[in-house]
Amino acid sequence: MSKYKVTVVIVNYNKEPYISQCIESVINQSLQPIEIIIVDDGSTDNSGIISSRYAAAHPHVRYFTQENNGVSSARNKGLSYAQGEYVAFLDADDYVPADAYERLYKAAVKSDADTAVGNFECFNEYRTWHLAYMKKVFAKGLPAVRHISTHQELHLTPSVSNKLFRREWLLQQKIVFQENLQIGEDLLFTQNALHLSNKTAMCNYPVLYYRVNEEEHTLSKQATLAFFEQLVLVQKELKQLYDSLHRQNELVHIEKRQLDFFLSSLFRKAAAFSKEQLHELLTVSRAFVHTLTEKSLLDQLDSKNRLLSQIIIQKDYEPFVKLLSSFCKDSFTNELVQQDQKVYSKLVEEYPAYAPWLEIHSLQAEHRIEVIRLEGANLTIGGYAFVKGLSTEDIQKEIVFKSKMETKVISLENELRTDVSYLFAHNKINYHHAGFQTITINLVNLLQNGSWNVFLRLKAGGKVVDEPLQVILAQLRNYAKPNITHNVEVSASFSANSQMNVRVKKVNFLEKCISKLTGIKRAVRYDMSFLKKRDYHTFSAIVLYKLFNRLYRNKNIWLIGERKDTAQDNSYHLYTYIRTNHKHQNAYYVIDKNAEDYQRIKHLGNIVHFNSLKHTLYLLVSHKTINSYSEASNMYTTAYKNIIKYYPEWQQNEKVFIQHGVIGVSRVNHVLHKNRMNYSQFVVSSPFEKKHIVKEFGYEDNEVVVTGLARWDALQDTSKGKEILVMPTWRNWIKTEKQLFESDYWNRYMSLFKNLDFNRILEERDLTVTFFPHYQMQQLIESFPVLGERIRIARQGEETVQSLLKRHSILITDYSTVSFDFAYMNKPVFFYQFDYDEFYSKHYNEGPINHKKDLFGERAEKEQALINLLEKHPVSGNQRAKQISNYIIKEEGRSHSQLLFQQLSGGK
C-alpha cells in the first residue's frame, strides 16, 4: 500500500516570485499524508534555494535538480520518484486551494477511477476569471463519472494541473510526457491517460489557481516558426497515439480543437513574421492541414478560417499574407453581402477566386424582446432582430404563429436602432434598422383554439430565417400571465430556453374559476416565500400594497431622487423648487440617511430614507417617479425589484427622466431607449436634443419635453478671472491603478501639469489650476502626486461639481458634458481631445453632435496646441458662446425648474 495518498510533482524554472506561495499551498493541504516532489529544471534565480529550504524543513518534501531539459523531462523525473497512490502535477507559478487534493482524491477513490478532473480559475494581478470551455466540461446534467470516448467535452481540458492520475496505473500503461515536445506536452499526456483510464471522476470545484503571466517568454507565447512546427509535431503524435489505441474514428474531436487553435494562432502571431518567414510559415501551415485525418473539419469552419485554410491548401502566398495582415490590423468584420440571391462573407469582395468557400449556407439571427404584455386577448411585443453580419437596410420582419395545422403571419414595421450597430458590430455593420415598432395583436381574432409556437421571421433577399421567439427576462415573462376574456383563455408559456408558446382555449365557468384560483395560489406561494426567508421587508410591502394601494394612489405622490447618496443634480434643484414654491404637491425625496448630502436637503422635509419600508411602499403607489440618473439602478430597493419581478403589472407610476447631462455628444440609446426604460416623460435641454431622442430612442414627440436642466437655475458665475478647472471624463477600459498609471490618459495630464510653458503662463497671469479627477480615477488612487504650487487636486466630497463650475474662469475638459454648464455661464471651454477616435470606439458611441467642430470652445489634440490656445485667449469671455444656444434653451421670466414643474403638472 502506498505511503502517501497523493504525490504532487512541482516543476520549477526561475519562478522565484511565486515558488513559496505554490509550495505552501500544497504543504497546507487538508489531505494527509501527502508527498511533495520539487524538480528544479536548471533555474538561475533563487527559486532553487527557496525550494531546498522547504525540503530541509519538511520530511514529506523532496527536492531534485537537473540541467535545463524542459518541463516534460522534469515531470518524468518527479514521476519516477513518486510514492503516492495518485499523482498530480503543478507548475511553480500556480497554486491550489487548501482542499483541492482532498476533493480530487475522494472523487477518484469513491468511483475507483484511474483519473480525476477538477475545475480551475485563472488569475493575474488585476482579476480572476473562469475559462468559457470549462463550463461545457461541467455543464448541468452531465454525470459525475465519465469516459472520454463517450463524453467529447473531456477533450476541452488538456492541462495536467487540474487532474489526478493513479500512479501504479501510469507506470503499468507506460504513460509519460513526450520530452521532444515543447508545446502540447500536457495535451498528449492527458489524451493518452483519459483514453486508457477505466473511468474519469469529475469534481466541479476549483482545484487550481492558474497564473496568466503575459510577460513570460515561453515558446507558446512567442511568435516563431518553431511554435507552429511544434503544433505540426503534436498533430503527428496524436495520430500515432490514436492509431495505437485503435480509436482513429474518435480523432475528429481533438483534431477540431487543434485546427481551431492553429488557425487562431496564425491570425494572432503572423504580424511578427517577415516576408521570408511568412513563406516558411505557409509551408508549415500546409503541412499541418495535410496531417488532418478528418478533412471535413475544414467545411465546418467560419468564413474567415475557411478562406485561410483554402489559401493554405493552394499554397497561395499573396492572399495568405494579405489575409493575415488585414486581420492583424483589425480590419476584418463578420459582415455578409448578397450577390445573385446568394449570401457570402464580405471577404468575397477581396477574394473573389475563393467565392465557393465563402458562401454562407446557414444564416443566424439575433433578437431581443424588450416589451411584452398580455392584456385580455391583446399581445403587445417590441424589440429588435437582425441576421448576424447582414445589413438591416432591406430586411423585412414578421411575427409568425405556427400550429400543427396552419401558420399566421403579422408584418412588422422597422424602427431605427443605431444602438444595435454599436452594441453588436462596433458600428462596422449597419444594424440601424434592426428594431421593430411595438405592435399589439388581438390573439382571439387572429388564432384558432390550440397551441401556437411563436417565431420572428427575417427576410433578406432570397433568404428566410425563422427564429424561435425568446423572452429572456423573468419579469417580462410575468407580464404575460394568463387572461380570460369573453370565455376565452389566452396564455403564454416558455420552454427551458425561454422560447414562447401561446395558447388560445375556450373555457366554461368552472374552468374560469379554476384558472383564477390557480393564479391566486401561485401568488400566495410567492408572497409566503418571503415570510419563510424572513424577508419581512418585502412581505410587509406586499401586504401593505394589497391593503392600501387605492388609498395611496389617490394621494398623487411624486418620488424624486438621484443616486441613493446624493442631492446635487437636477433632481435636487427641482425638489428645492417644489418645496419652496408648491408645498401642496405631495413630493418626497429619496436619500440614504447616512449620506453626506442628507444634511443639505433634510430641512426641506418629506424625506424618505433609502431602503426603508416606506421607500418600497411609495415606489409601489407613487404617481410619478422622477430621477436624473437611471431609475432602476439608483432608486429601487431590493424588495421593490423582487416584487415587480413577479407583479410587473403593479408598476403603474409615470417614470420621468430629467437627466444629468446633455445627450448628443454620445449615443446612449442602448441604455435609455423607450423599450428598455419606458419613461413616460423624457426631459431635454433643447429642440436639437429632442429631435435626436425622438428619432433614435423610440419616444413619441409628446413624450419628450424641452425645459432645460433644473440645475442650470443655480449657475451664477462667481469666478474672479484667475482660476482654471481641469475636469476630464473617464476611460472605461482602465480597470486598475497600474493600468491608469501606464495609460496615455494619465500621462497626458501629468505631462501638461509639468510642462514648463504651462507653468510659465500660470506664473505670468497669476493663475491657479484645480484638477478634479473623475470619480472612477479617485476610486483607484489612494494618494495623488504633488503637481506644483499653483495646481491643486480637488477630491470627491470636498466641493460640489456645481460649485467648482461656478467659481472657475476657464474649463479644460475632453468630452465631459459639464462643458454645457460652463458655457451656459458664457465662460470659455477648451477641449483637450488627444484620443478622440479611441474614446468614441471603446468608451462611447459618437452622437449627432460632432465634438470636433460643433461645440462651443476651442479644441486641441496635442499638448502644445492647448498651451498655445491658453496663451492667446483672454481669461474671461467665450468667443464661441453663441453656439451654446444650439444645445440649450433660456427663457426669460421662467426658471428651468418652473418650466419642468409645469410640464410635470400638466401645464398648470
Side-chain angles (χ1 to χ4, degrees), residues 263 289 298 301 305-314:
L263 295 177
V289 172
L298 301 176
L301 297 169
N305 283 312
R306 196 160 59 243
L307 172 61
L308 178 58
S309 65
Q310 290 303 318
I311 288 172
I312 289 171
I313 289 171
Q314 298 184 30

Side-chain angles (χ1 to χ4, degrees), residues 81-114:
Y81 287 107
Q83 301 176 43
E85 181 184 352
Y86 285 84
V87 63
F89 300 95
L90 188 61
D91 293 334
D93 55 348
D94 302 331
Y95 67 102
V96 290
D99 57 351
Y101 295 121
E102 180 178 8
R103 287 178 178 270
L104 280 172
Y105 179 78
K106 285 183 176 179
V109 170
K110 181 181 178 180
S111 56
D112 190 29
D114 293 329

